């Protein structure tokens, strides 16, 4: 067996790109990569929330150094963002004419997708069985949703030859 192409830095050897083999005749229509600008924009919002919560908790406790909540919140999100950025930027999802293939062996048959929705720069895919997948840090979630919906619409009916 040949090694998987891209693994995480923690050496858990989790592939960050689809490792599922294509079926005979299956064709990749689009690839969805994480966007660096969207990633850092999401972290800026996360930092704003962490700063507000940190300062609010310190204020509620009567701490005279409320400003340290801002420093702590910003530092925590910056460390998290820096630590995870390299792996998140390598994540890739492939849309084929039959399936949506995610990092590792995640694979969702297009016919099994119940709902596709945008959530703050990400696309959530919900299957008929209730499984949820998140295609994170997309610069244009609407375009990703449209591509998935178009691929679903182009599928032949189940009873077609």
């Amino acid at each position: 067996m040949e090694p998987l192409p891209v693994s995480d830095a923690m050496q858990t050897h989790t592939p960050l790109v689809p490792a599922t083999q294509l079926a005979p005749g299956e064709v990749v229509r689009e690839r969805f990569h994480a966007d660096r600008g969207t990633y850092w924009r999401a972290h800026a919002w996360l930092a704003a929330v962490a700063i507000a919560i940190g300062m609010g908790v310190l204020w509620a406790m009567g701490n005279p150094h409320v400003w340290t909540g801002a420093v702590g919140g910003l530092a925590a999100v910056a460390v998290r963002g820096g630590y995870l950025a390299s792996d998140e930027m390598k994540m890739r999802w492939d849309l084929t004419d039959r399936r949506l293939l995610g990092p590792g062996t995640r694979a969702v048959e297009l016919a099994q997708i119940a709902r596709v929705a945008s959530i703050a720069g990400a696309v959530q895919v919900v299957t008929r069985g209730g499984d949820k997948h998140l295609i994170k840090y997309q610069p244009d979630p609407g375009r990703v949703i449209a591509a998935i919906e178009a691929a679903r619409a182009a599928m032949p009916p189940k009873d077609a030859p």
Side-chain angles (χ1 to χ4, degrees):
M1 184 169 127
E2 67 183 58
L4 297 172
V6 180
S7 293
D8 61 39
M10 294 298 297
Q11 298 303 310
T12 59
H13 304 289
T14 304
L16 302 173
V17 298
T20 303
Q21 297 294 318
L22 295 177
E26 187 174 20
V27 178
V28 174
R29 295 172 60 133
E30 283 201 58
R31 297 183 191 279
F32 305 118
H33 300 271
D35 175 68
R36 189 170 301 280
T38 305
Y39 176 81
W40 286 113
R41 213 170 6 269
H43 277 75
W45 281 107
L46 185 60
V49 170
I51 288 168
I53 290 172
M55 292 178 73
V57 167
L58 291 174
W59 175 78
M61 291 174 30
N63 188 316
H65 306 289
V66 173
W67 63 272
T68 59
V71 173
L74 181 60
V77 173
V79 167
R80 178 198 186 278
Y83 183 75
L84 296 176
S86 63
D87 283 353
E88 291 293 346
M89 292 302 105
K90 293 174 189 167
M91 293 280 186
R92 188 184 84 216
W93 287 77
D94 292 348
L95 177 63
T96 75
D97 54 345
R98 301 177 198 172
R99 300 180 290 176
L100 181 61
L101 306 175
T105 56
R106 293 181 216 171
V108 179
E109 299 283 337
L110 294 178
Q112 291 302 311
I113 294 175
R115 187 168 49 90
V116 183
S118 175
I119 301 175
V123 175
Q124 183 186 47
V125 178
V126 182
T127 67
R128 296 186 194 289
D131 294 332
K132 295 177 182 170
H133 303 276
L134 202 57
I135 306 172
K136 298 187 283 187
Y137 310 117
Q138 296 300 301
D140 186 0
R143 186 187 72 74
V144 175
I145 292 169
I148 293 170
E149 294 296 351
R152 290 177 65 203
M155 287 189 60
K158 276 277 194 205
D159 53 347

